[in-house]
């Protein structure tokens, strides 16, 4: 059976184990992508939209206005995209964004399938690459995760 309803104690244990698996594989994948891919193709580490979002002429009707204000406040731009502190903050925030999905998987899937889901989510190259950038996709993914928690925990 692919789906199951775990009891609360089992669910919490699976969730903690899933977070551990996720963090281990995310750290390994991040180092692999960061150290090997930058020698292969540097275009993967570019973020051309940052110049647009750092434009001071943006107003409330501009796309991603709050994101624009946030990166202007913290000083995130294409010059410091490879700064280790920004990579750490973006990677930490990407882990927070994934937590609702790991929690749902630990509640719905069996222990082994939840761990496999965590490993796949943590080591997918495209997801890992974008987790090192403070990207606009973090915000909708987090909102969708919270909505899914609300929706699936009602049942």
């Amino acid at each position: 059976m692919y789906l199951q309803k775990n009891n609360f104690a089992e669910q919490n244990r699976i969730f903690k184990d899933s977070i551990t698996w996720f963090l281990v594989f995310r750290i390994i994948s991040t180092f692999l992508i960061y150290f090997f891919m930058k020698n292969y193709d540097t275009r993967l580490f570019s973020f051309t939209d940052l110049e647009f979002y750092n434009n001071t002429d943006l107003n409330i009707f501009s796309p991603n206005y709050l994101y624009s204000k946030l990166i202007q406040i913290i000083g995130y731009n294409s010059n410091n995209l490879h700064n280790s502190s920004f990579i750490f903050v973006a990677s930490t925030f990407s882990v927070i964004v994934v937590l609702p999905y790991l929690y749902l998987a630990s509640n719905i899937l069996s222990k082994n399938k939840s761990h496999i889901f965590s490993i796949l989510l943590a080591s997918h190259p495209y997801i890992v690459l974008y987790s090192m950038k403070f990207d606009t996709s973090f915000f909708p993914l987090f909102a969708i995760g919270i909505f899914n928690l609300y929706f699936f925990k009602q049942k």
Side-chain angles (χ1 to χ4, degrees):
M1 174 167 211
Y2 293 109
L3 300 176
Q4 67 182 30
K5 185 77 171 165
N6 298 316
N7 65 31
F8 186 72
E10 179 72 9
Q11 173 188 338
N12 284 339
R13 191 178 60 71
I14 293 172
F15 179 56
K16 289 176 186 175
D17 291 346
S18 294
I19 292 173
T20 303
W21 282 103
F22 179 83
L23 290 175
V24 167
F25 277 87
R26 176 55 64 94
I27 290 168
I28 292 169
S29 300
T30 300
F31 281 118
L32 288 174
I33 293 286
Y34 185 75
F35 290 115
F36 292 116
M37 292 300 287
K38 73 178 179 180
N39 296 327
Y40 176 69
D41 189 359
T42 56
R43 292 175 301 160
L44 296 174
F45 293 99
S46 65
F47 194 3
T48 56
D49 290 348
L50 274 179
E51 297 308 317
F52 172 77
Y53 291 123
N54 274 305
N55 186 353
T56 56
D57 296 335
L58 298 175
N59 59 38
I60 192 78
F61 300 109
S62 302
N64 298 317
Y65 175 72
L66 293 177
Y67 173 77
S68 299
K69 287 301 179 190
L70 178 64
I71 65 165
Q72 288 172 4
I73 290 169
I74 65 174
Y76 188 60
N77 57 42
S78 57
N79 296 332
N80 58 17
L81 183 65
H82 295 77
N83 186 330
S84 59
S85 61
F86 282 117
I87 291 174
F88 177 76
V89 169
S91 297
T92 303
F93 194 73
S94 74
V95 169
I96 293 169
V97 166
V98 169
L99 287 177
Y101 301 101
L102 294 177
Y103 181 77
L104 285 173
S106 67
N107 190 30
I108 296 171
L109 300 175
S110 68
K111 176 183 172 184
N112 291 337
K113 289 176 180 59
S114 179
H115 293 165
I116 290 170
F117 174 76
S118 300
I119 292 168
L120 290 174
L121 193 60
S123 58
H124 189 282
Y126 187 77
I127 296 173
V128 172
L129 179 65
Y130 277 90
S131 72
M132 292 187 278
K133 300 176 185 180
F134 197 65
D135 193 38
T136 57
S137 65
F138 287 158
F139 301 104
L141 287 174
F142 188 66
I144 291 168
I146 297 299
F147 174 77
N148 284 331
L149 279 177
Y150 172 75
F151 182 75
F152 287 110
K153 288 305 282 184
Q154 282 184 349
K155 298 182 182 210

